[in-house]
Amino acid sequence: MSQIFSWQESDSEEFIDYGRYFVPQREYQLQTIADLIPRPGGEAHILELSCGEGLLAEELLRRFPDVTLYGYDLSPAMLEQATQRLAHFGDRFVPRQFDLNDLEWRTGKPTFHAVVSSLTVHHLDGPDKLRLFLDLYPMLLPGGTLVIADLVAPTRKLGTAVAAKAWDEAVRQRSQQLDGNDDGLTQFERLKWNLYRYPEDPETAIDKPSSLLDQLKWVEQAGFTAVDVHWMLAGHVIYSGVKR
């Protein structure tokens, strides 16, 4: 499998500081992901890949009181933030440090009612995305749901330009909404966070988004049914599939 390059704790700290500006319609995304998961009939387990500071986990634990959520992340700083945020849920939140690219955590045991992920799958290249979906399928119980929120690669230059412009505008609007100024957009530009405007060197890139169509095909190839897209803005999408 290919290597995930150089995500540093400094990147985690920046995202903790500025994610509220940088993620388009963040609260709506969290609610949409939760809406796509059927309410379990009793105790159930949900796996979140790259749980970050625990915002999605908080939404899911609040929404589903019988759920235990397993939050995996590479970053100790993120896991510390998530553990603090979710302390009031007690042992219903189970944190674990992991590397998305490793195979060790991919147990193949049908354990989970749902697997969710936000802004992490784009760190894998195309073949490794397919491998991930293939490995997640047997980890879900029959009827289990996979929900992915992530960045996708436009298929032509004009599409990339549209995504870049839309992301800048989403950050500007968010900054105005939260603070009444453009400081969030200033930081977004300073950090060159908009990968559609500031593409990385392919040889060392940590961001490797694939086209939306390719990802939907890979999810179907892994065995999922009812594969669908539920939201899209500024190169960000939410899609899902259901285990047979």
Side-chain angles (χ1 to χ4, degrees):
M1 301 181 76
S2 62
Q3 182 182 0
I4 296 178
F5 285 94
S6 66
W7 180 269
Q8 304 293 331
E9 282 298 86
S10 59
D11 298 310
S12 296
E13 296 292 348
E14 288 171 349
F15 192 74
I16 290 170
D17 289 340
Y18 300 117
R20 63 188 181 277
Y21 304 109
F22 295 177
V23 181
Q25 296 185 0
R26 193 181 215 181
E27 292 80 9
Y28 183 81
Q29 287 198 58
L30 301 179
Q31 293 167 12
T32 299
I33 294 168
D35 288 345
L36 291 167
I37 299 172
R39 183 171 294 275
E43 293 185 2
H45 303 278
I46 292 177
L47 172 62
E48 182 179 1
L49 305 178
S50 300
C51 64
E53 58 191 295
L55 295 174
L56 176 55
E58 186 174 38
E59 177 70 22
L60 295 174
L61 289 168
R62 183 188 301 119
R63 181 82 66 98
F64 305 120
D66 294 325
V67 155
T68 298
L69 189 139
Y70 296 79
Y72 293 2
D73 205 282
L74 176 67
S75 164
M78 290 291 196
L79 288 172
E80 181 180 359
Q81 287 281 326
T83 300
Q84 293 176 5
R85 174 183 294 275
L86 304 172
H88 59 289
F89 291 107
D91 59 5
R92 292 179 56 215
F93 177 66
V94 182
R96 174 181 172 180
Q97 188 173 14
F98 91 134
D99 188 324
L100 179 66
N101 227 13
D102 286 346
L103 299 179
E104 177 269 334
W105 62 270
R106 306 183 189 190
T107 63
K109 298 177 182 178
T111 303
F112 297 105
H113 177 69
V115 176
V116 299
S117 175
S118 177
L119 295 176
T120 194
V121 173
H122 71 278
H123 293 307
L124 301 176
D125 63 18
D128 285 346
K129 289 185 181 77
L130 173 58
R131 180 74 262 165
L132 175 68
F133 300 147
L134 288 165
D135 290 342
L136 290 176
Y137 188 85
M139 295 174 66
L140 284 160
L141 295 167
T145 305
L146 172 71
V147 187
I148 304 294
D150 218 319
L151 297 159
V152 296
T155 57
R156 58 190 179 123
K157 289 183 178 180
L158 286 176
T160 301
V162 167
K165 181 180 178 180
W167 199 357
D168 285 345
E169 178 59 19
V171 174
R172 187 195 67 79
Q173 291 181 9
R174 183 68 167 170
S175 185
Q176 285 289 335
Q177 176 188 5
L178 291 177
D179 300 333
N181 57 48
D182 288 343
D183 289 353
L185 178 60
T186 299
Q187 295 301 324
F188 187 63
E189 293 173 342
R190 178 183 68 84
L191 295 169
K192 296 185 176 181
W193 203 273
N194 191 336
L195 62 84
Y196 301 115
R197 192 170 301 288
Y198 304 107
E200 299 172 281
D201 181 345
E203 295 299 319
T204 58
I206 64 171
D207 297 315
K208 306 168 187 177
S210 302
S211 77
L212 175 57
L213 181 58
D214 280 345
Q215 293 183 67
L216 299 179
K217 289 179 177 178
W218 295 331
V219 172
E220 283 195 329
Q221 187 176 339
F224 290 92
T225 63
V227 177
D228 204 355
V229 179
H230 311 281
W231 172 88
M232 185 171 185
L233 178 67
H236 295 65
V237 304
I238 298 174
Y239 59 88
S240 71
V242 177
K243 183 172 179 177
R244 298 178 189 275

